Amino acid sequence: MTASLHIPGASLQVCELAALRATAMDGFGPWQTGALPGAVLVADFRPSMLSGQLRAFRSVAAAEALALIGWRVCLDGGWVALLALGAGAPVVVAPSHGDEGMSRVIDGLVRAHDLAEGLALAGQFEDPPLTPALCALDEIAAPGAALVIASGFEMPGAGLAARIEALSRAHHLRLLHVTDGGEPECPPTRGLFALDANLPPEHAAPYLSRALRLVPREGCI
């Protein structure tokens, strides 16, 4: 893992995530700001996400997808917030509006990914469980807002299904299961969508736009 951290697609750059504003404007349908005033974006940068076979690490693809969603929300007048999870302390960005708010989210994504890379280089390869890490959402995810979690969902920890069910009752929940190609094994969870890390952002944008608006069914969509 450590040798591949320096190849293209293994790290995040502020300029690249900022440039996705244009992609979100052109390739993403309008956000439903009337019913959904904002979105909390959750990025999983735990060690298992720092891997990829072709275009990019799954962590990078997760950040790109969340940046696209965040830009679209801000362009339509909504607020954005961030919870970035890793092997260390989470990075939290409080809700804010507009380009400035999205810039804060991007800075948070890049900072969190840099921290994750540093921990991997130091030999931290074990994923902490996901379920307790999601407790931080209680302080930043206002009821009724959208909540988008981009993760590989490895090492879920005890009680993840119950936690997801509770979040889905309070929020417009979407789970982006970031894969490295192929079809994931999807648990019976509402609002779960597979996202192939090999898709470049301009190809992922229309898919993400549809996924956020479809009425979810059980399992994969």
Side-chain angles (χ1 to χ4, degrees):
M1 180 184 296
T2 56
S4 62
L5 283 171
H6 304 289
I7 64 173
S11 298
L12 293 179
Q13 301 292 328
V14 168
C15 60
E16 293 177 352
L17 295 181
L20 293 179
R21 185 183 192 276
T23 305
M25 182 180 296
D26 296 336
F28 216 111
W31 181 254
Q32 302 165 344
T33 50
L36 302 169
V40 179
L41 311 174
V42 181
D44 184 356
F45 294 157
R46 294 177 301 159
S48 63
M49 292 290 286
L50 302 179
S51 63
Q53 295 183 2
L54 296 176
R55 187 190 71 86
F57 278 8
R58 291 187 298 153
S59 56
V60 171
E64 291 170 343
L66 293 175
L68 283 168
I69 294 168
W71 274 123
R72 187 67 256 184
V73 172
C74 286
L75 286 167
D76 290 336
W79 54 260
V80 288
L82 173 69
L83 172 63
L85 307 174
V91 171
V92 177
V93 176
S96 54
H97 288 80
D99 285 11
E100 181 179 353
M102 194 58 207
S103 293
R104 292 176 182 173
V105 166
I106 288 173
D107 287 343
L109 285 168
V110 173
R111 183 169 74 254
H113 202 273
D114 286 348
L115 290 171
E117 290 181 21
L119 289 172
L121 287 168
Q124 175 58 270
F125 302 131
E126 295 294 327
D127 279 9
L130 182 60
T131 304
L134 295 177
C135 290
L137 289 171
D138 295 339
E139 298 182 5
I140 62 173
L147 175 59
V148 185
I149 303 175
S151 174
F153 297 101
E154 289 92 350
M155 187 59 71
L160 181 62
R163 180 63 173 158
I164 292 298
E165 179 63 27
L167 290 171
S168 70
R169 290 195 297 268
H171 308 283
H172 179 79
L173 178 65
R174 288 295 184 267
L175 308 176
L176 300 181
H177 189 165
V178 187
T179 71
D180 200 19
E183 292 294 329
E185 293 184 4
C186 295
T189 302
R190 290 186 179 275
L192 180 68
F193 300 85
L195 175 65
D196 187 348
N198 298 313
L199 280 178
E202 61 271 20
H203 293 162
Y207 168 76
L208 292 169
S209 180
R210 293 192 301 271
L212 290 173
R213 284 159 179 77
L214 288 172
V215 176
R217 302 189 304 269
E218 294 287 346
C220 294
I221 298 180

Coordinates of all heavy atoms in Angstrom, one line a residue, residues 9 20 37-38 48 58 92 112 123 129 141 148 160 167 187 192-193 196 208 221:
G9 N -4.1 9.3 -8.8 CA -5.3 8.8 -8.4 C -5.3 8.3 -6.9 O -6.3 7.8 -6.4
L20 N -14.5 20.4 -10.0 CA -15.7 19.6 -10.2 C -16.9 20.4 -10.1 O -18.0 19.9 -10.4 CB -15.7 18.4 -9.2 CG -14.7 17.3 -9.3 CD1 -14.8 16.3 -8.2 CD2 -14.8 16.7 -10.7
P37 N -32.9 21.0 2.7 CA -32.2 22.2 2.8 C -30.6 22.1 2.7 O -30.0 23.1 2.5 CB -32.6 22.8 4.1 CG -32.9 21.5 4.9 CD -33.5 20.6 3.9
G38 N -30.1 21.0 2.9 CA -28.7 20.8 2.9 C -28.3 19.3 2.9 O -29.1 18.4 2.9
S48 N -8.7 0.5 4.5 CA -9.2 -0.4 3.4 C -9.6 0.4 2.2 O -9.6 -0.2 1.1 CB -10.4 -1.3 3.9 OG -11.5 -0.5 4.3
R58 N -10.3 3.9 -4.0 CA -11.7 4.0 -3.7 C -11.9 5.3 -2.8 O -13.0 5.9 -2.9 CB -12.2 2.8 -2.9 CG -12.2 1.6 -3.9 CD -12.9 0.4 -3.2 NE -12.1 0.0 -2.0 CZ -12.7 -0.6 -0.9 NH1 -14.0 -0.9 -0.9 NH2 -11.9 -1.0 0.1
V92 N -14.3 17.1 10.9 CA -15.6 17.6 10.8 C -15.6 19.0 10.3 O -14.8 19.8 10.8 CB -16.3 17.5 12.2 CG1 -17.7 18.1 12.2 CG2 -16.3 16.1 12.8
A112 N -8.2 15.4 5.6 CA -8.5 14.1 6.1 C -7.8 13.0 5.3 O -7.3 12.0 5.9 CB -10.0 13.8 6.1
G123 N 2.2 2.6 9.0 CA 1.9 1.2 9.3 C 0.5 1.0 9.9 O 0.3 -0.1 10.4
P129 N -14.0 0.1 13.5 CA -15.3 -0.2 13.1 C -16.1 1.1 12.7 O -15.9 2.2 13.3 CB -15.9 -0.8 14.4 CG -15.1 -0.4 15.5 CD -13.7 -0.2 14.9
A141 N -25.7 16.4 11.8 CA -26.7 16.1 10.8 C -28.1 16.5 11.3 O -28.7 15.8 12.1 CB -26.7 14.6 10.5
V148 N -25.3 11.6 2.9 CA -24.7 10.7 1.9 C -23.4 10.1 2.5 O -22.5 10.9 2.8 CB -24.4 11.5 0.6 CG1 -23.9 10.5 -0.5 CG2 -25.6 12.2 0.1
L160 N -24.5 -2.0 12.8 CA -24.5 -1.0 11.7 C -25.9 -1.0 11.1 O -26.4 0.1 10.7 CB -23.5 -1.4 10.7 CG -23.4 -0.4 9.5 CD1 -23.1 1.0 9.9 CD2 -22.5 -0.9 8.4
L167 N -30.8 6.3 11.0 CA -30.4 7.4 10.1 C -31.4 7.6 9.0 O -31.7 8.8 8.6 CB -29.0 7.3 9.6 CG -27.9 7.3 10.6 CD1 -26.5 6.9 10.0 CD2 -27.7 8.8 11.2
P187 N -26.0 -5.8 1.2 CA -26.9 -6.2 2.3 C -28.3 -5.6 2.0 O -28.4 -4.7 1.2 CB -26.3 -5.6 3.5 CG -25.5 -4.4 3.0 CD -25.0 -4.8 1.7
L192 N -29.1 2.0 -1.0 CA -27.7 1.6 -1.3 C -27.5 1.6 -2.8 O -28.2 1.0 -3.5 CB -27.5 0.3 -0.7 CG -26.0 -0.3 -0.9 CD1 -25.0 0.5 -0.1 CD2 -26.0 -1.8 -0.4
F193 N -26.4 2.3 -3.2 CA -26.1 2.3 -4.6 C -24.6 2.0 -4.8 O -23.7 2.5 -4.0 CB -26.3 3.7 -5.2 CG -27.7 4.2 -5.1 CD1 -28.2 4.8 -3.9 CD2 -28.6 4.0 -6.2 CE1 -29.6 5.2 -3.9 CE2 -29.9 4.4 -6.1 CZ -30.4 4.9 -4.9
D196 N -18.6 2.5 -9.0 CA -17.4 2.0 -9.4 C -16.3 3.1 -9.4 O -16.4 4.1 -10.0 CB -17.6 1.4 -10.8 CG -16.3 0.7 -11.3 OD1 -15.3 0.7 -10.7 OD2 -16.5 0.0 -12.4
L208 N -24.9 9.7 -10.3 CA -25.2 10.1 -8.9 C -26.4 11.0 -8.9 O -27.2 10.9 -7.9 CB -24.0 10.9 -8.5 CG -22.7 10.2 -8.2 CD1 -21.5 11.1 -8.0 CD2 -22.8 9.2 -7.0
I221 N -29.1 -1.0 -6.4 CA -29.8 -0.3 -7.5 C -28.8 0.1 -8.5 O -27.8 0.7 -8.2 CB -30.6 0.9 -7.0 CG1 -31.7 0.5 -6.0 CG2 -31.2 1.7 -8.2 CD1 -32.5 1.6 -5.5

